[in-house]
Each structure stands twice: as structure tokens, then as C-alpha cells.
Amino acid sequence: ERREIITQEHPHFPEQMFRSTGSPFIPGQYLTPAMARAQKLAFKGYRYYLGDDVLATRIEQTNFLNRVHLRVWQEPVPGGVYIVACDPAFGLSDEGDGFCIQVGRCYADKVVQVAEFCDRNITPFQCAWVMLHLCGWYGNCRYIVELSGPGEAVWTELRNLKRQSED
């Protein structure tokens, strides 16, 4: 691990600048208390009902923790600036089987997570629909999609939906 850190801090080419082992970037001494505080934060839980067509998509608020796909800690704020970041399932390995979308509110000096979607039982095109729903709901935002693995399929669906909306 020490060699990996040295390579990250003194790379020979750009690909070496980021760790790819899944090792934590933040030491546990900081994460443990932060996780304890985060688990106490109240959120609104929502469940998506996704079908074979984007127009069939429904979302409902739920109080059942085991049915929650979307956790919202802060709803959109007028004038807020957001980033919607999508990490499709199986992007890095066969063990990362969840589609995850994070919504962060951007400030001049920080980004604060305001919502998180996670589901293991959807397809890449359905992930794109959820991502666009979050972009539309939060409004003034940019989005990021990891393109490795199924990310390319998410990106293709985003382009298809854009093309359809222009027709």
C-alpha cells in the first residue's frame, strides 16, 4: 500500500494519480464519528417504480427503510447549484452490484450531499431515467456518469432521451 501511495502522490502519468484498490481515502478515525453522526440525520425516503418505458416511472414516498431507493436530506433550494453523479453497477468490479446516484449541493468551498439513490435491481437505462429525474427535480445542476462497465449504456440512454426530446 505504501508503494501505491507514493505512486499516487508522484505519478508518472495521469492514470496513476488515483487509487484503484478501493483503499479508503479518509482515515477511519475521521470516518467512524462522521458515520455515527450521519446515521442520526433524518431523511425523506422514496421508492421508484420503474418499468419498460420512461413514461411509466412512478415515485412514492415511503417510511419503510427496506423499501427506500432514494434518501433525501435536503430538497431543492431555489438558487441552489447541484451536481448529480452516477456510479453504475459493476463499473470497477463484479462485486459492485448497485447503481448509485449522489446529489450534492455545490458551494464555493464545499459540496454537501443532499440526496442518494441506490438500487441493485435496475437496468442501465432505468438508471439514466432516475438520474434525469433527479437532475430535473434539483434544477440548476450538472451531471457526471462513470463510463466504465454499464456506464456506457447509461450514457447511451441519456443521449437517446435527448434525441427523442428534440424530435
Side-chain angles (χ1 to χ4, degrees):
E1 181 162 322
R2 183 167 169 73
R3 173 180 266 174
E4 183 180 319
I5 292 172
I6 291 171
T7 301
Q8 175 186 326
E9 297 300 321
H10 305 283
H12 296 294
F13 45 91
E15 290 77 15
Q16 291 179 331
M17 292 172 64
F18 303 97
R19 289 185 177 184
S20 61
T21 64
S23 299
F25 291 96
I26 303 170
Q29 67 189 27
Y30 301 110
L31 284 178
T32 302
M35 289 294 290
R37 282 193 313 273
Q39 289 175 348
K40 294 177 184 174
L41 292 176
F43 62 86
K44 286 186 181 177
Y46 295 90
R47 180 173 181 83
Y48 280 87
Y49 295 92
L50 302 159
D52 293 332
D53 185 278
V54 66
L55 298 176
T57 301
R58 292 183 305 119
I59 182 170
E60 294 177 359
Q61 190 169 354
T62 182
N63 292 325
F64 297 104
L65 192 59
N66 63 341
R67 295 180 153 232
V68 169
H69 293 143
L70 175 65
R71 296 170 188 237
V72 177
W73 292 278
Q74 184 185 83
E75 292 187 356
V77 174
V81 178
Y82 299 92
I83 186 76
V84 178
C86 177
D87 182 10
F90 308 110
L92 184 60
S93 72
D94 291 341
E95 287 137 22
D97 62 348
F99 285 86
C100 184
I101 303 171
Q102 306 285 329
V103 181
R105 183 165 180 203
C106 303
Y107 296 89
D109 61 343
K110 63 185 173 186
V111 176
V112 175
Q113 183 180 6
V114 296
E116 176 182 78
F117 169 86
C118 188
D119 192 357
R120 289 178 165 77
N121 300 311
I122 63 171
T123 63
F125 64 89
Q126 291 170 327
C127 179
W129 303 345
V130 172
M131 191 174 142
L132 288 177
H133 169 256
L134 292 171
C135 286
W137 188 30
Y138 279 90
N140 186 15
C141 68
R142 301 282 182 167
Y143 62 83
I144 301 170
V145 180
E146 181 183 345
L147 294 178
S148 60
E152 188 65 39
V154 172
W155 181 247
T156 299
E157 179 65 8
L158 291 173
R159 288 193 326 244
N160 288 338
L161 290 171
K162 181 180 180 193
R163 198 170 21 258
Q164 288 174 17
S165 71
E166 292 171 347
D167 291 341

